[in-house]
Amino acid sequence: MADLVRRIKLGKQGLEVSAQGLGCMGMSAFYGPPKPEQEMVALIQHAINSGITLLDTSDMYGPFTNELLLGKALKDGWREKVELASKFGINFADGKREIRGDPQYVRAACEASLKRLDVDCIDLYYQHRIDTKIPIEITMGELKKLVEEGKIKYIGLSEASASTIRRAHAVHPITAVQLEWSLWTRDVEEDVIPTCRELGIGIVAYSPLGRGFLSSGPKMVENFSKEDFRQYLPRFQPENIEQNKLIFDRVSEMAAKKGCTPAQLALAWVHHQGEDVCPIPGTTKIENLNQNIGALSVKLSPEEMAELESLASADIVRGDRYGALSSTWKNSDTPPLSS
């Protein structure tokens, strides 16, 4: 299977990764209760043996427990085989969530992540959400120092607007921007994606399967546990799910014709966006991971791409991505740097 997973250059700064990564969030948080640690370690190591080497975590997954899990999975020689990505910027203090990008916090968060992951250096370190209280240049200044000190190799941003990306990139080159991109989430295509391409920044697509909807369809809503935050997202609400079901039905029909699963078809669509795009579908099951790797060999003609896009155009998808649950690139502009 490892020969199915080609390598790509992510951005122009020298980082090379597997063409598909592994989002690790759901192993520890947000999509139901944490999964058994031994099983998740086995899954991560199976992914690496299968050629998937970009592993994506964050200090807020758990919080903290997902990084600890990766630290355990990467002991005994596994660390050298992967490109490890983590994130900072969403702080839980006194039961409240706040977004921070001040230098003191950036440094403290990085040191804490290094400790939990039990590594000397994080390959790709993202600002998870942009702190709009301070100029992005100030946050980037501290990240640049962490690169110079060898604590991180490459800098990334997540959910950042085109103007924020430009300003950050002027301080120190950004290697990758992480954003939600899938058949049913395409708002980044107008401004954010072209900006990344102009500046030579790689694109990491999270939730490329629409948080599982494009693989399981509306029946997944019946199986949400009380810890699953997807039950609060607008697109999964009763008033929207019926309309969104049409998208899944159409993707399923087309997948049946192609002889692949709906998930493979949806993932293949992301892969066909270009060699600078690395989707990071998450999973907690080895069979799903193997199926996701299979998406790399699904070929789509321009006509099939157009047909897929017409099935899930913006006016067909009902509901926001997050509602009020999270900030996004749309509200990520920061104050100017006063001279």
Side-chain angles (χ1 to χ4, degrees):
M1 198 174 281
D3 53 356
L4 265 183
V5 186
R6 62 186 187 280
R7 308 281 296 166
I8 62 168
K9 287 182 169 56
L10 194 58
K12 294 275 170 25
Q13 307 309 315
L15 180 60
E16 197 176 284
V17 299
S18 51
Q20 189 166 290
L22 177 63
C24 299
M25 178 184 87
M27 300 175 189
S28 305
F30 296 109
Y31 288 3
K35 308 302 180 277
E37 187 176 274
Q38 269 180 306
E39 285 177 29
M40 294 305 100
V41 167
L43 173 72
I44 291 164
Q45 293 176 349
H46 171 78
I48 299 166
N49 279 335
S50 303
I52 301 261
T53 60
L54 178 64
L55 304 181
D56 185 87
T57 183
S58 170
D59 59 4
M60 78 154 300
Y61 300 160
F64 313 131
T65 51
N66 197 243
E67 286 186 326
L68 290 165
L69 169 70
L70 264 90
K72 286 177 181 157
L74 296 178
K75 284 198 180 359
D76 305 323
W78 291 92
R79 167 67 184 107
E80 288 67 47
K81 300 176 179 182
V82 303
E83 298 82 46
L84 183 56
S86 194
K87 311 181 203 73
F88 74 92
I90 303 176
N91 183 41
F92 293 93
D94 311 320
K96 284 203 296 282
R97 194 166 107 158
E98 60 171 343
I99 296 174
R100 287 185 63 180
D102 53 285
Q104 190 183 353
Y105 181 75
V106 174
R107 179 163 292 271
C110 181
E111 300 281 5
S113 284
L114 288 167
K115 205 168 180 176
R116 283 188 293 271
L117 291 162
D118 199 13
V119 297
D120 301 325
C121 174
I122 296 166
D123 296 310
L124 177 55
Y125 197 46
Y126 294 100
Q127 185 172 13
H128 202 156
R129 289 292 186 274
I130 307 298
D131 183 349
T132 56
K133 301 182 297 297
I134 62 169
I136 186 68
E137 291 84 355
I138 291 175
T139 305
M140 285 298 298
E142 196 62 25
L143 287 166
K144 184 179 177 180
K145 284 183 195 165
L146 291 169
V147 172
E148 287 159 358
E149 291 163 27
K151 289 178 176 165
I152 61 178
K153 277 190 193 157
Y154 300 100
I155 299 173
L157 297 175
S158 174
E159 291 287 348
S161 68
S163 63
T164 298
I165 293 165
R166 280 185 197 285
R167 286 171 55 189
H169 192 71
V171 177
H172 184 280
I174 299 293
T175 289
V177 167
Q178 189 168 130
L179 39 79
E180 187 173 346
W181 198 10
S182 71
L183 264 179
W184 81 343
T185 298
R186 301 183 54 207
D187 53 1
V188 287
E189 291 175 16
E190 195 176 339
D191 214 6
V192 180
I193 302 282
T195 300
C196 290
R197 289 187 161 149
E198 179 198 327
L199 299 173
I201 297 170
I203 295 154
V204 174
Y206 76 85
S207 296
L209 296 172
R211 301 197 179 276
F213 187 79
L214 295 169
S215 45
S216 312
K219 70 171 191 289
M220 66 186 277
V221 174
E222 296 154 28
N223 303 320
F224 286 155
S225 67
K226 65 180 192 300
E227 300 95 337
D228 197 319
F229 100 114
R230 288 175 292 187
Q231 65 192 305
Y232 305 111
L233 296 176
R235 289 182 181 176
F236 296 108
Q237 300 313 309
E239 65 272 19
N240 295 329
I241 200 87
E242 273 311 301
Q243 170 80 13
N244 292 334
K245 176 181 181 291
L246 299 175
I247 297 167
F248 176 73
D249 291 345
R250 289 167 178 174
V251 170
S252 297
E253 281 165 29
M254 194 168 161
K257 280 189 220 150
K258 288 281 293 177
C260 64
T261 67
Q264 287 173 328
L265 186 61
L267 255 183
W269 179 84
V270 180
H271 280 297
H272 280 68
Q273 297 304 322
E275 280 297 299
D276 55 353
V277 181
C278 179
I280 50 167
T283 185
T284 57
K285 298 185 177 76
I286 282 181
E287 70 206 72
N288 291 351
L289 181 100
N290 293 342
Q291 191 187 107
N292 289 346
I293 290 173
L296 283 156
S297 52
V298 175
K299 298 282 177 274
L300 297 172
S301 68
E303 293 75 25
E304 288 170 322
M305 289 290 284
E307 186 184 342
L308 268 173
E309 285 164 19
S310 71
L311 301 181
S313 56
D315 53 342
I316 295 174
V317 183
R318 280 272 167 85
D320 278 349
R321 291 197 288 139
Y322 283 105
L325 287 178
S326 177
S327 57
T328 69
W329 64 267
K330 290 182 176 175
N331 48 11
S332 71
D333 288 343
T334 70
L337 189 63
S338 50
S339 47

